[in-house]
Amino acid sequence: MPWCIYCRHPATVTVIEISAVIGIVVWAAGYRLIRPCMFLAGFVLGFLIFYVFSPLIFKTQLCCGPNGKEIAHVLFSALVGVFGGFLGCRLYRLGVFTIGECLGLLVGLTILSTPLYKYFHSNIAYAALMATVSLMFGSLAHFYEKPVVVIATACAGSFAVFYAIPVFVCWGVSTAVGCAIQYKVTANSLNSNSNLLQFCNCCDRPKPDR
């Protein structure tokens, strides 16, 4: 399972877990919490747009150039995302449009997950597909606000939750397997008074005073 690679990055796992919790709320009450959803949609779009296109525009040593630092790139993208989320909250129609665009991005990702991906042979084709679909659904949100917002929040929330499931499963299963191996095999015949533990200096522990 390729998503298990996230188990090696605690920061990424934390972000995915937080996204899953937010996803449950968005999935269940997205239209009622439309203002926070506007902020999230604006944040996601602002973050993605700056993160993807900034290396083509701002080729600096600090952030987005070939020798730039990835953490700086992410932080600047997050700042742009916060600004985009703020605009989405303040400008209602723009916020609804960004929610529709997020639905379009999910639809585009779904298309690329089908055999149709064979017809997209370059990054330009990928970008054209995502831009076209997102703009189409953003426009639909302008005319059919409630249905599009409800579908978008339900899809985005469920996507965040189910995206986190492989991480939880991979991490939980690997932890359970490790505990089982230690209790049943490697640590089965050892105890705190074992000669092996006494031999290993790294395993010695100071004994409490009696």
Side-chain angles (χ1 to χ4, degrees), residues 76-99:
F76 279 110
S77 300
L79 289 176
V80 174
V82 170
F83 180 73
F86 177 76
L87 286 181
C89 285
R90 297 294 296 177
L91 304 175
Y92 186 85
R93 286 300 174 188
L94 178 62
V96 172
F97 183 80
T98 56
I99 292 177

Side-chain angles (χ1 to χ4, degrees), residues 16 18-30 37 40 102-103 106 149-165:
I16 293 176
I18 295 174
S19 300
V21 174
I22 296 175
I24 294 175
V25 177
V26 171
W27 169 79
C37 289
L40 291 175
C102 286
L103 177 59
L106 292 176
V149 170
V150 169
I151 295 173
T153 52
C155 288
S158 59
F159 178 82
V161 173
F162 284 102
Y163 189 85
I165 286 178

Side-chain angles (χ1 to χ4, degrees), residues 10 12 21-22 30 51-52 62 96 103-104 123 128 158 174 176 183 204:
T12 307
V21 174
I22 296 175
Y51 188 86
V52 172
L62 174 62
V96 172
L103 177 59
N123 292 332
S158 59
S174 61
Y183 273 104
D204 287 341

Side-chain angles (χ1 to χ4, degrees), residues 3 105-118 120 126 129-130 159:
W3 286 348
L105 291 178
L106 292 176
V107 173
L109 290 175
T110 303
I111 294 174
L112 294 177
S113 300
T114 66
L116 294 175
Y117 81 93
K118 297 179 181 179
F120 302 93
Y126 292 150
L129 171 67
M130 301 299 284
F159 178 82

Side-chain angles (χ1 to χ4, degrees), residues 138-149:
S139 301
L140 285 175
H142 179 74
F143 297 102
Y144 305 99
E145 177 183 321
K146 186 174 182 178
V148 174
V149 170

